[in-house]
């Protein structure tokens, strides 16, 4: 699994502001309103504790401080525990924190200790990025293209299918494709039989997974994937709206899902 780097997290709130402008222009609503719509919740002065975790590849520079900035951006009080791991967990619970945020190399969770709600980043990221793609105001149909059916992509696909969208999906992993066709009823996207989409949800760890033949002239590409799915020559096209941000949008969805 590709892990975030401290460089990915530099200038994060500026990246969020840019993404939010694109989200507003292409869907009519900003990230806060979309989270409220999806989860039916609002912040209510919860206290958020961020527990750094040293397991596996260890603490990522800027990760905890970024989560603190996100917490404060959504109007909540937060802090990073003095110690990592179990000692930090003990401190957070003893302090009366409402919500814990913490991640190892495989899972990034938000846990509301009062309501017992728990959220996983890969699910919330899939839900919120696919939701953003599905709200494109210039879309002429309910067809959405999904690229990548891994942990994030599958969750987003399930969300789109539940919402009644007509999903076309592509993943080179034939097992994932078969599962999505059998369990979710998606259509297989076939590059030999090209079709152009105005709504694209991309969730792969690879660059340049989107080609010109897949996208309509006016389209919205919503992708949590790092690096960028759009080849540079397409990304420069002013008619393609691109929502791509390394942490905040997914983390915001996690918070709203446990409020
Ligand atoms: P994953 O490994 O579970 O799934 C990735 C999937 O992409 C795999 O099924 C793989 O076969 C598929 N894939 C690879 N190349 C492809 C291609 N050219 N076309 C179609 N499918 C292709 O990964 P994941 O956990 O689902 O994460 C996906 C990406 O999202 C990663 O880059 C991860 O770092 C990123 N991510 C970002 C955020 C965020 O907040 N921005 C949050 C979580 C994950
Ligand atoms: O506490 C820390 O600093 C570390 N243990 C955090 C580790 C996070 C690892 N996860 C990732 O890098 C991502 N694949 C998941 C985070 C979602 C945002 N892209
Ligand atoms: Mg994100």
């Amino acid at each position: 699994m590709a892990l975030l780097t401290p460089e990915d997290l530099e200038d994060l709130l500026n990246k969020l502001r840019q993404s939010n402008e694109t989200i507003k222009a292409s869907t009519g609503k900003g990230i806060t309103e979309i989270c409220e719509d999806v989860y039916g919740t609002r912040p209510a002065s919860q206290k958020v504790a961020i527990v750094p975790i040293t397991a596996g590849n260890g603490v990522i520079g800027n990760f905890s401080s970024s989560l603190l900035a996100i917490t404060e951006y959504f109007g909540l009080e937060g802090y990073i525990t003095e110690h990592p791991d179990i000692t930090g967990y003990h401190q957070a619970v003893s302090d009366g924190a409402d919500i814990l945020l913490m991640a190892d190399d495989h899972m990034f969770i938000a846990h509301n200790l009062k309501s017992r709600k728990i959220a996983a980043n890969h699910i919330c990221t899939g839900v919120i990025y696919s939701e953003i793609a599905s709200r494109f105001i210039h879309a002429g149909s309910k067809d959405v293209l999904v690229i990548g059916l891994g942990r994030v992509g599958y969750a987003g696909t399930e969300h789109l299918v539940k919402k009644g969208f007509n999903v076309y999906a592509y993943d080179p992993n034939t097992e994932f494709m078969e599962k999505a066709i059998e369990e979710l009823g998606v259509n297989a996207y076939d590059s030999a039989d090209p079709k152009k989409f105005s709504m694209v949800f991309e969730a792969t760890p690879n660059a340049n997974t989107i080609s010109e033949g897949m996208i309509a002239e006016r389209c919205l590409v919503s992708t949590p994937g790092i690096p960028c799915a759009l080849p540079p020559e397409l990304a420069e096209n002013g008619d393609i709206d691109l929502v791509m941000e390394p942490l905040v949008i997914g983390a915001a969805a996690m918070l709203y899902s446990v409020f």
Side-chain angles (χ1 to χ4, degrees):
M1 154 185 306
L3 298 178
L4 285 167
T5 67
E7 293 71 39
D8 290 331
L9 302 175
E10 276 168 11
D11 207 17
L12 202 68
L13 291 183
N14 218 15
K15 284 178 190 154
L16 171 66
R17 267 184 276 277
Q18 282 170 17
S19 295
N20 210 21
E21 286 313 309
T22 308
I23 294 170
K24 277 185 199 156
S26 52
T27 73
K29 285 188 178 179
I31 187 61
T32 304
E33 290 166 283
I34 296 178
C35 284
E36 285 174 6
D37 287 353
V38 170
Y39 295 104
T41 56
R42 282 184 166 68
S45 306
Q46 292 93 341
K47 189 160 113 180
V48 178
I50 295 141
V51 184
I53 299 294
T54 65
N57 285 285
V59 164
I60 295 175
N62 296 335
F63 186 75
S64 290
S65 57
S66 297
L67 294 183
L68 181 58
I70 295 165
T71 300
E72 290 170 347
Y73 179 88
F74 288 99
L76 296 175
E77 184 195 333
Y79 72 103
I80 300 167
T81 58
E82 195 183 331
H83 297 283
D85 304 328
I86 307 297
T87 310
Y89 183 94
H90 183 267
Q91 183 196 343
V93 176
S94 308
D95 286 348
D98 298 299
I99 296 173
L100 303 187
L101 287 175
M102 52 193 176
D104 65 13
D105 294 348
H106 302 283
M107 283 289 275
F108 169 20
I109 62 165
H111 188 189
N112 187 324
L113 296 171
K114 306 287 155 71
S115 69
R116 301 174 69 96
K117 287 188 197 173
I118 189 161
N121 175 262
H122 58 280
I123 307 274
C124 295
T125 301
V127 167
I128 202 71
Y129 276 85
S130 64
E131 174 77 24
I132 291 167
S134 77
R135 287 179 175 232
F136 189 43
I137 49 178
H138 303 294
S141 77
K142 293 210 108 186
D143 294 350
V144 184
L145 176 62
V146 174
I147 303 171
L149 290 168
R151 298 194 328 157
V152 174
Y154 201 89
T157 302
E158 201 166 12
H159 179 68
L160 291 169
V161 168
K162 273 191 196 146
K163 286 196 65 178
F165 284 87
N166 188 24
V167 178
Y168 288 73
Y170 173 67
D171 192 306
N173 183 320
T174 50
E175 241 175 74
F176 291 178
M177 277 304 301
E178 278 161 21
K179 186 166 180 253
I181 291 167
E182 277 164 28
E183 293 182 9
L184 302 179
V186 308
N187 309 284
Y189 176 77
D190 179 3
S191 57
D193 179 20
K195 176 172 160 61
K196 286 180 179 278
F197 293 83
S198 59
M199 298 183 282
V200 179
F201 162 53
E202 195 270 4
T204 85
N206 293 324
N208 306 337
T209 57
I210 296 176
S211 59
E212 204 168 359
M214 296 170 171
I215 49 175
E217 242 167 74
R218 190 89 202 263
C219 67
L220 170 58
V221 173
S222 178
T223 174
I226 305 167
C228 185
L230 270 182
E233 65 277 13
L234 290 182
E236 280 161 19
N237 178 343
D239 287 336
I240 302 177
D241 290 341
L242 174 65
V243 176
M244 183 188 79
E245 182 284 325
L247 184 66
V248 180
I249 295 173
M254 293 167 73
L255 286 171
Y256 275 82
S257 96
V258 302
F259 283 157

